[in-house]
Amino acid sequence: MRAAQFDALVDAASRDDGVDFEGLRVGRDDDGGFRFETPETETTGLAESELHALADGSPYVTNWYFWERDVKRHGSPRRAFLRRAEAADERGVADRYDALRGGLVTEWGELRIEATLGPDGARRYDVRHVADADRDADALATYDDPLDARELAKLDDDGRYRPLKTAPTLRTGWAFPELDWHAVVEVVETVYPATVANWYREREGELDVDHWRAAAERQTGIYDVVDELPREAVDYVAEAACVDSQCLKRREWEYDDGDELAADGGAGVFPCREPCSLVVAAARKWTKLEAEEEREYTFTLTPSEKEQLEALIDAVADDEVDEVREADVYEGANRYRTRYLRAKRVDDDGRLCGVPTDPEEPAEPTPE
């Protein structure tokens, strides 16, 4: 226990309300001595030196100092998030300290956050991708500046830009192995902006949700058209973009207040309070596509070819194309099998079975 911690304890204990925090009670007796109480001990009439002897090495004292003198910020998202990281509201101090010595792990999207005990009760945090949980820090690129998280979150493992920060495509191979409580929250908020605040608002029953209809009606400029998207198509939007495989947020917005969408909202720990900019941008294109009139086309396909087209749609939609091996020609999304289908059924102008998209275009039979 540092001198500053004991001085703060004496100062707080000498005030009218004393110290009363997570099993620790310290204050002044009527005779001017100190009383010191934890779930394991209760002593009164202590001189300052005797108080020091009891307080030195007590997890209850360093725990009090960490939360009440370092973190503070009662009623804030940051404090609530840090307490969640060590299950502080579910575990007593002694049990929690035992667990912190070995490391307490929580997850936030694709982030793995391990809280451990630092000197004199301070907390230290290791943040990395969940896929790197069992890798030694020496095998990872390590960082200590939270601002470095901006670059780490910008591209995926294939070097592609990530327009949606909460997509499950966070790159692997890095770690922030030694963060204090300030820095760990900054890293989390950089990787997943606003998620801590919205999680906290939801927990407190204060999450303000903007449903699709209200969000669409307030769009302006080129996005003004999205409020024309048919009601049933909004379900398609949610099914396409707002599920766990595409976004780690849990969708809380519906079509309108009292008008729920059929699509599953996901199981993420942090909520989505309104249609995001990526969804709105995509909905602009879908609105235009939904405005087209349906036409009837006639194609000649074998049963296997029909099933192959269905398999191709699934593989692209579920991002599984890269998982199909080149040698596995039994898979509908196999590259060689797809090229064979194109050679057989798509003409030189890229038309399936030679059937024109516009009925006024002349049809050309595809050679068998």
Side-chain angles (χ1 to χ4, degrees):
M1 181 178 63
R2 293 182 285 110
Q5 292 175 312
F6 182 68
D7 290 344
L9 181 68
V10 171
D11 179 67
S14 300
R15 298 177 185 275
D16 290 341
D17 50 356
V19 172
D20 187 353
F21 183 75
E22 293 194 334
L24 175 68
R25 293 180 177 84
V26 186
R28 288 281 191 178
D29 289 331
D30 292 339
D31 60 4
F34 291 95
R35 65 180 184 279
F36 181 86
E37 180 182 347
T38 70
E40 291 81 30
T41 186
E42 182 177 355
T43 310
T44 60
L46 297 169
E48 188 170 311
S49 60
E50 294 173 315
L51 175 65
H52 186 278
L54 283 173
D56 191 24
S58 169
Y60 294 94
V61 173
T62 56
N63 180 70
W64 164 80
Y65 188 88
F66 175 71
W67 289 111
E68 297 298 277
R69 291 298 181 267
D70 280 343
V71 177
K72 297 180 285 191
R73 293 170 172 79
H74 285 270
S76 71
R78 284 195 167 200
R79 181 184 176 95
F81 178 81
L82 291 167
R83 289 184 67 79
R84 177 187 183 277
E86 60 182 72
D89 296 329
E90 290 82 44
R91 308 178 76 155
V93 173
D95 178 45
R96 200 188 325 152
Y97 265 50
D98 285 342
L100 282 167
R101 291 185 182 96
L104 271 170
V105 175
T106 57
E107 293 182 3
W108 193 258
E110 290 186 293
L111 294 179
R112 177 189 184 272
I113 304 165
E114 181 174 10
T116 55
L117 274 179
D120 300 312
R123 271 54 162 182
R124 290 292 179 265
Y125 303 89
D126 177 292
V127 181
R128 61 181 65 190
H129 196 288
V130 291
D132 295 323
D134 298 326
R135 299 181 65 185
D136 292 335
D138 293 343
L140 303 172
T142 57
Y143 303 88
D144 55 19
D145 186 349
L147 292 179
D148 289 328
R150 293 181 181 177
E151 290 300 314
L152 293 173
K154 186 176 294 183
L155 306 176
D156 65 15
D157 277 331
D158 295 322
R160 297 172 299 191
Y161 178 68
R162 300 175 65 243
L164 181 64
K165 297 306 180 187
T166 50
T169 56
L170 186 65
R171 79 166 81 172
T172 58
W174 52 268
F176 291 82
E178 193 73 14
L179 298 175
D180 63 17
W181 69 268
H182 291 276
V184 67
V185 179
E186 190 172 350
V187 167
V188 171
E189 291 181 330
T190 299
V191 175
Y192 296 130
T195 58
V196 172
N198 285 333
W199 163 80
Y200 180 74
R201 291 188 187 108
E202 182 183 51
R203 195 189 78 159
E204 298 299 303
E206 299 174 354
L207 184 69
D208 53 328
V209 177
D210 279 354
H211 297 292
W212 172 266
R213 186 173 177 182
E217 288 177 348
R218 71 165 180 263
Q219 301 302 315
T220 60
I222 63 173
Y223 300 109
D224 181 58
V225 298
V226 299
D227 63 349
E228 300 173 13
L229 191 66
R231 165 66 178 77
E232 65 272 13
V234 179
D235 253 315
Y236 307 151
V237 171
E239 185 175 341
C242 305
V243 291
D244 290 337
S245 64
Q246 306 303 310
C247 180
L248 297 171
K249 288 184 180 179
R250 172 178 23 86
R251 179 180 56 77
E252 289 301 312
W253 55 267
E254 304 291 349
Y255 180 74
D256 204 352
D257 190 18
D259 187 353
E260 295 186 2
L261 297 170
D264 182 65
V269 65
F270 35 83
C272 177
R273 54 171 294 274
E274 64 180 348
C276 68
S277 59
L278 187 65
V279 164
V280 171
R284 174 174 175 260
K285 179 62 175 179
W286 289 324
T287 301
K288 294 181 177 181
L289 294 177
E290 288 293 329
E292 294 182 359
E293 293 184 4
E294 292 184 350
R295 295 175 180 173
E296 184 175 313
Y297 297 96
T298 301
F299 302 106
T300 300
L301 300 171
T302 67
S304 293
E305 289 169 349
K306 173 182 174 294
E307 291 178 348
Q308 184 182 355
L309 288 175
E310 294 164 349
L312 276 167
I313 291 172
D314 280 343
V316 173
D318 295 334
D319 196 22
E320 296 174 348
V321 175
D322 291 341
E323 299 176 14
V324 180
R325 297 177 302 162
E326 290 186 354
D328 195 352
V329 294
Y330 293 96
E331 290 288 341
N334 172 267
R335 180 157 60 92
Y336 293 121
R337 186 171 171 186
T338 302
R339 289 175 64 84
Y340 181 90
L341 181 66
R342 184 177 68 177
K344 178 181 179 182
R345 295 297 187 186
V346 179
D347 67 14
D348 293 339
D349 294 320
R351 300 181 299 189
L352 181 61
C353 296
V355 176
T357 300
D358 189 330
E360 295 182 1
E361 294 180 42
E364 295 182 8
T366 301
E368 293 291 339

